Amino acid sequence: MKVERNGPCSCGSGKKYKKCCLLTEQPEGSEFLRKRLGEIQAGLIDKICCHVSKLYGPEAIDEAFEEFHLWEHEDGFDPDSNELPIFVPFFYYQWFPDPKFTKCEDAPQMPPAQSLAETDKKLSNDQKKYLIECCKTGFSFFEVLKVEKGKSLKLKDILTEVVHDVLEKSASENVRIGDLIFGKVIHIENIGILEACAPIIIPPQAKIEVLDLKKHMNKLNKIVTGEVLVSFSLEIFELYRLIYNQIMNSKNRIMANTDGQLIIPHKLIFDIEDSNSMFEALYPLAFNDKKEELLNEANINKATGKIQFVEFPWLHKGNKKHTNWNNTVWGQIKIEMNKMTVWVNSKERAELFQAELKKRISSGWKLKSTLIEPIEAKLKELDLNPSKEKQLQAKKESEDLMKHPEVIAKVEQIMKSHWDNWLTSPIPALDNKKPIDAVKSKIGREKLEALLTQFERDAERNPMVGQTIKTIAEIRLRLGL
């Protein structure tokens, strides 16, 4: 029997169907929730900013920025930081003035969002619920279990062991199964939302360090809950900062997108005269969605018909690297009244978007600012490295040598011996246990999975004789994984 949208849900929750199982059973339920969340979020940012300015003062953001960087950053808030997607939620939902050292002497001793939720009587119930949910749940590390590109992720919180299905457009375009992300997941109307996400994709091997932190937390808390995550905020952020610095200081951070362009995140901010005209000009860039579908997700002023908020992807047909892809997400576009923000991951795409914009609408807009991840200077330094030519020559000589059958056979023999020994040798990452012994415990299996997933990634990126994806698959079989 069909359940009416406004009727009681058949699951017995006591809620209306449209506010319960419809949100997870039907695609339109997810889109309905996206629209509702967009409306809730749209009015909260300005409210929190005003609340911070009024009750916490101008010093608050500098103090929060220093604490976010574990007091190793003494230059105050950096508006161009690439970590804003994770810092801003930290500032709003978790930070509060240290009574011993703060200059915000009269500020509330609680996070700004919590203070706003408790004092602002003009907030709607949905807004209060959203703020409270964000404040009571701590940041954590999540393993990607499933990816539905452009739509959703299945994430496992490594510290709490809770599995979340989250609605997420942008992050789902870039991560793979086995990757780790750092952020905050909240639940509204039985749906998970990735409320905050760090700007780095964490490699699988880092899970070993996260599991060590979990072991430490479990000594004091048998079950790690969202509240426990908040209480361990310092230790969690210490690990995040360690991993972040390792990734940013590594040569591996020099990555390219699927078009072969160097990944340098750009955020383009435009002043626009009319949101409706801008939407009319650009909505065809999201060619997988009909105009009506995009407008259904938008926040529109019913009295004036003006678009107050709408967000959609910039798509390009096909993909150079993955020929089976129908399209590639080149960027994300957000239009808000008199402002438009566009995110792309390369200099080339930033330039292409501006050219596309000029072609589609010649007036009514002005580029206000461009925020760029500052790594170009380092890349130029690497390009000018005098040893680069010698490295390329050595690589060519090695490749030529590996074309001889007798050399291949010898290397295969050496690598087989290596992996046989690896299985029965103490491994530091496994708490100095042998893989054949580590697999006998739950945490040992998890660490082994993380190591082997990393080995697979390395073999995929740089396959060698005796160390391929097939090699790692055989190791898994020998370990019973």
Side-chain angles (χ1 to χ4, degrees), residues 149-217:
K149 286 189 176 293
K151 293 184 179 181
S152 64
L153 294 169
K154 184 182 286 289
L155 303 174
K156 179 183 178 181
D157 187 326
I158 301 171
L159 298 177
T160 67
E161 298 188 10
V162 175
V163 175
H164 305 273
D165 289 297
V166 302
L167 295 176
E168 177 56 39
K169 286 188 175 182
S170 56
S172 62
E173 293 288 351
N174 301 311
V175 296
R176 300 168 55 186
I177 293 174
D179 285 335
L180 272 57
I181 58 179
F182 179 75
K184 178 193 287 281
V185 169
I186 65 169
H187 284 266
I188 302 291
E189 303 285 5
N190 299 325
I191 298 293
I193 302 109
L194 189 59
E195 167 61 26
C197 183
I200 55 172
I201 297 174
I202 302 173
Q205 189 171 350
K207 183 180 177 181
I208 293 169
E209 296 171 283
V210 181
L211 288 169
D212 286 337
L213 174 59
K214 173 179 170 54
K215 184 178 180 181
H216 168 67
M217 294 171 71

Side-chain angles (χ1 to χ4, degrees), residues 148 157 177 183 265 291 308 432 449:
E148 191 171 357
D157 187 326
I177 293 174
K291 178 181 177 180
Q308 295 180 308
N432 285 319
E449 283 285 1

Side-chain angles (χ1 to χ4, degrees), residues 94 136-139 217 220-221 224-236:
Q94 192 153 311
K136 76 178 186 180
T137 305
F139 291 83
M217 294 171 71
L220 300 174
N221 303 271
V224 178
T225 63
E227 290 78 7
V228 172
L229 293 178
V230 174
S231 68
F232 275 85
S233 174
L234 180 60
E235 291 89 342
I236 291 171

